[in-house]
Amino acid sequence: MKTYMTIEDTIGSTPLVRLQRIPGALGDSRGNVILAKLEGNNPAGSVKDRAASSMIRRAEERGEIKPGDTLIEATSGNTGIALAMTAAIRGYKMILIMPDNLSLERRASMTAYGAQLILTKASEGGMEYARDLAMQMQAEGKGKVLDQFANPDNFRAHIESTGPELWEQTGGEITHFVSAMGTTGTIMGVGTYLRTQNPAIQVVGAQPAPGSQIPGIRKWPEAYQPKIYDPAKVDAFELIEQAEAETMARRMAAEEGIFGGISAAGALVAALRVAARVENATIVFIVCDRGDRYLSTGVFNPAP
């Protein structure tokens, strides 16, 4: 009998595409190639599909959870959606805790997969408060927290899949890897793998400039710094203004046909800054998710 894939089997193997117009003088004339890894092509629409599948599968393998159990996670959106999908695939109940100032599309996607959504007031502490509440609920016996911020299975997904894909897709020519920094699982895992192939590869993180609020890009207070994060594994940081990320999101769609999220646009801003400093480089940035996840925010509305 023929064996067919499940939806979970379609996670990964996402396209890597070259930007044609936005790089301008920073591209061909300097010998630079800027490439976008389209993680919105994953089944639940983001790079977090990889980590969510990894965290649940590995916990199962260790006997820490079994189908029918309740899982709990604090999320700003993409991890929650990916966990809700994976929980639906593998037979778990999912409780997600999210600040109420994040997009309506994210809320709807989580509940569509059958997750229970708890909204917390952003004024009470945003993601930090949501993380505390998740741990409190676990202590009360209401479920198991996978804890994307401290779980090595988060970045392990990128050591095992995203990193090798980029190395193969570029034929080993990648010189710079650029990623938004949230939980930091993507940048930690991909950077770790790429450095095993070529220690000279530069890893660049996009962080929000002071006062900027960019979904998917965070600079955590010291007490909430993700335990999986090792600053020694990031060579350079680019501070991204909210307005320039939003403008770049519109440009990516209108000039390149890449309908990505705001954090992806922030990573592209960082990649272009890198391109302005180097020559003959192959620069890869992560398009973390799809732009349709942000339509209700108005970021893609044309200027009046």
Side-chain angles (χ1 to χ4, degrees):
M1 181 170 147
K2 181 174 174 55
T3 301
Y4 294 93
M5 293 195 303
T6 69
I7 189 69
E8 193 172 16
D9 295 325
T10 68
I11 295 172
S13 300
T14 54
L16 184 69
V17 302
R18 179 176 62 86
L19 298 193
Q20 301 178 78
R21 296 178 183 83
I22 288 177
L26 302 178
D28 291 345
S29 64
R30 297 176 65 89
N32 294 328
V33 177
I34 300 180
L35 303 170
K37 182 71 163 155
L38 303 183
E39 289 296 295
N41 285 38
N42 282 308
S46 85
V47 68
K48 300 296 188 178
D49 289 18
R50 299 178 188 258
S53 176
S54 175
M55 289 191 292
I56 290 180
R57 286 187 296 106
R58 302 301 185 188
E60 264 186 20
E61 291 168 4
R62 292 190 293 267
E64 297 171 1
I65 58 174
K66 62 185 185 304
D69 288 349
T70 297
L71 307 177
I72 304 171
E73 193 72 15
T75 178
S76 62
N78 284 331
T79 300
I81 295 167
L83 283 171
M85 176 193 72
T86 308
I89 293 168
R90 303 187 76 88
Y92 290 87
K93 299 170 186 174
M94 191 77 233
I95 299 175
L96 296 168
I97 306 169
M98 187 174 80
D100 63 3
N101 62 339
L102 296 166
S103 73
L104 298 176
E105 291 86 355
R106 294 185 178 206
R107 302 184 198 182
S109 296
M110 293 174 194
T111 56
Y113 284 117
Q116 176 187 344
L117 179 59
I118 297 174
L119 292 175
T120 62
K121 292 185 178 180
S123 60
E124 293 180 349
M127 273 299 297
E128 289 83 356
Y129 176 78
R131 288 170 63 179
D132 289 342
L133 179 57
M135 299 308 292
Q136 177 186 327
M137 291 177 67
Q138 177 176 251
E140 294 170 353
K142 295 180 179 178
K144 163 76 172 174
V145 174
L146 294 168
D147 195 1
Q148 60 179 312
F149 305 95
N151 192 331
D153 295 327
N154 179 343
F155 65 81
R156 180 177 176 178
H158 303 290
I159 294 174
E160 295 178 344
S161 66
T162 324
E165 286 174 26
L166 290 177
W167 184 253
E168 181 179 356
Q169 288 172 317
T170 62
E173 293 184 352
I174 180 172
T175 60
H176 297 77
F177 174 69
V178 183
S179 176
M181 295 178 64
T183 65
T184 73
T186 302
I187 197 167
M188 289 292 100
V190 174
T192 295
Y193 176 82
L194 291 176
R195 289 262 179 67
T196 67
Q197 304 302 304
N198 179 1
I201 291 172
Q202 296 289 292
V203 177
V204 179
Q207 293 187 321
S212 292
Q213 294 186 346
I214 305 171
I217 304 182
R218 286 293 307 262
K219 186 173 176 60
W220 297 96
E222 189 64 32
Y224 290 89
Q225 192 80 262
K227 292 181 180 178
I228 62 173
Y229 173 54
D230 179 357
K233 293 184 176 181
V234 182
D235 296 294
F237 301 89
E238 294 291 343
L239 298 182
I240 310 300
E241 297 285 351
Q242 181 176 342
E244 62 183 343
E246 292 176 351
T247 297
M248 186 59 73
R250 293 189 288 271
R251 288 190 63 194
M252 281 173 57
E255 297 178 38
E256 297 284 352
I258 298 174
F259 192 24
I262 308 168
S263 60
L268 175 52
V269 170
L272 291 170
R273 292 181 189 170
V274 172
R277 300 193 293 263
V278 300
E279 294 181 349
N280 303 315
T282 299
I283 304 164
V284 175
F285 74 99
I286 295 287
V287 179
C288 313
D289 59 6
R290 298 191 299 252
D292 54 11
R293 203 152 277 179
Y294 303 88
L295 289 173
S296 66
T297 68
V299 68
F300 292 104
N301 293 349

